[in-house]
Amino acid sequence: MSAETMGLRESKKQETRQLISDHATRLFLAQGFEQTTIAEIAAAARVAKKTVTNYFPRKEDLALDHHEEFAASLAGVVADRAGGESALAALRRYFLAAVEDRSPVAGFAGYEFAHMIAESPTLTARLRELHDQREEALAEVLAGSGGRNGGQGGGGIAPRAAAALLAAAQRLLFERIQELTLAGRSTDRIAGIVAEEASHVFDLLTPSLGDYASAPGAQSA
C-alpha cells in the first residue's frame, strides 16, 4: 500500500471521527447526554452503530472528545519542561497559557457544554476519572524525572504527593472555570478572574514545591 493511499485512509478516518463527534455533540446539547442514544447518533451521522463504537468505545468519549489529550496534558508539560524549570513552574506556565488561549482542556467550553456536563451524572463521574488519570500520569513522570529534589523512582511517596498537590491545583482551577461559566460570566471575564486566582494558587504551592523536580540544565534567566 502506497504512502498516499495510507494517508487518504487516515484522512478519511479522521473525517468520519469528527463527523460522528459533531453530530453527537449537537444531539447531546439538544437532548441531554443521558437521553441521547448511540443509535440516534449513528443515524444522524449516517453510519452504523458499530462504526460509532469503533471510534468511541465509551459514550462519554463522544462528549469529552479531548479526553486523551486531557489525561496526558500535565505529564507531557512536565516531561518537556525547560532546563532548570521546576514542575510547578512548568505547570503554572502551561495553565496561564491555556487560559490565554481559552483552551477547552483548561475548562473553557461554553455555557451549554458546561451545563450538559453538570446535568449528567455519567459525564461528571467520567470527568473525575479523567482528573484522576491525569494525576496518575503526572506522578509517573515525576517518579522518573531527574533534577533537584526530583524523582525518586520506584514506589517513593514524594512524587505521588507532589502530583496530588499539583494536579489538585489544576483540578480546582478547571472547576472554577466551569463554575464561572455556569454563573453566566463571559469568557473574557472568566479568563481575567481565573488568571489572577491561578497566580495565587500557584504562589501557595511555591514554598513547598518551587524547586521540586527542576529539570537538569541551567536556570532560566
Side-chain angles (χ1 to χ4, degrees):
M1 184 183 298
S2 69
E4 182 179 359
T5 300
M6 291 178 65
L8 288 172
R9 286 192 175 185
E10 184 60 31
S11 178
K12 180 61 176 177
K13 287 181 179 179
Q14 290 301 319
E15 289 176 5
T16 301
R17 189 181 193 281
Q18 190 61 53
L19 177 69
I20 294 169
S21 177
D22 290 346
H23 280 290
T25 299
R26 177 178 59 80
L27 289 170
F28 292 152
L29 293 177
Q31 303 177 174
F33 176 83
E34 309 290 349
Q35 293 74 26
T36 302
T37 67
I38 296 296
E40 289 176 315
I41 294 168
R46 296 185 178 181
V47 298
K49 284 176 61 177
K50 185 173 178 58
T51 301
V52 175
T53 55
N54 280 342
Y55 281 98
F56 300 94
R58 298 177 62 160
K59 181 182 171 185
E60 302 95 300
D61 295 340
L62 282 157
L64 302 172
D65 197 24
H66 297 278
H67 64 280
E68 292 179 349
E69 177 187 355
F70 181 85
S73 58
L74 304 186
V77 168
V78 171
D80 295 337
R81 67 199 185 283
E85 187 175 36
S86 70
L88 174 61
L91 291 172
R92 179 178 194 146
R93 171 176 52 77
Y94 159 77
F95 183 80
L96 292 177
V99 170
E100 183 69 23
D101 292 340
R102 315 300 196 257
S103 171
V105 176
F108 290 93
Y111 177 84
E112 289 185 336
F113 199 86
H115 185 263
M116 177 190 72
I117 293 176
E119 291 296 305
S120 168
T122 303
L123 288 179
T124 300
R126 176 57 173 155
L127 192 55
R128 284 198 300 268
E129 185 179 272
L130 290 172
H131 278 293
D132 289 343
Q133 290 177 7
R134 193 160 71 151
E135 179 184 325
E136 290 166 8
L138 176 59
E140 289 180 7
V141 168
L142 290 174
S145 66
R148 182 178 178 185
N149 300 325
Q152 299 176 2
I157 198 170
R160 286 182 287 158
L165 292 169
L166 293 167
Q170 299 278 338
R171 184 187 303 223
L172 171 66
L173 293 166
F174 181 99
E175 292 172 349
R176 180 61 168 151
I177 291 172
Q178 297 282 291
E179 174 189 325
L180 292 169
T181 299
L182 291 172
R185 302 292 181 88
S186 70
T187 300
D188 288 344
R189 179 60 178 147
I190 294 169
I193 292 171
V194 173
E196 182 177 344
E197 293 180 343
S199 292
H200 183 57
V201 170
F202 294 127
D203 284 347
L204 289 174
L205 293 175
T206 298
S208 57
L209 293 173
D211 292 329
Y212 183 81
S214 294
Q219 293 287 343
S220 300

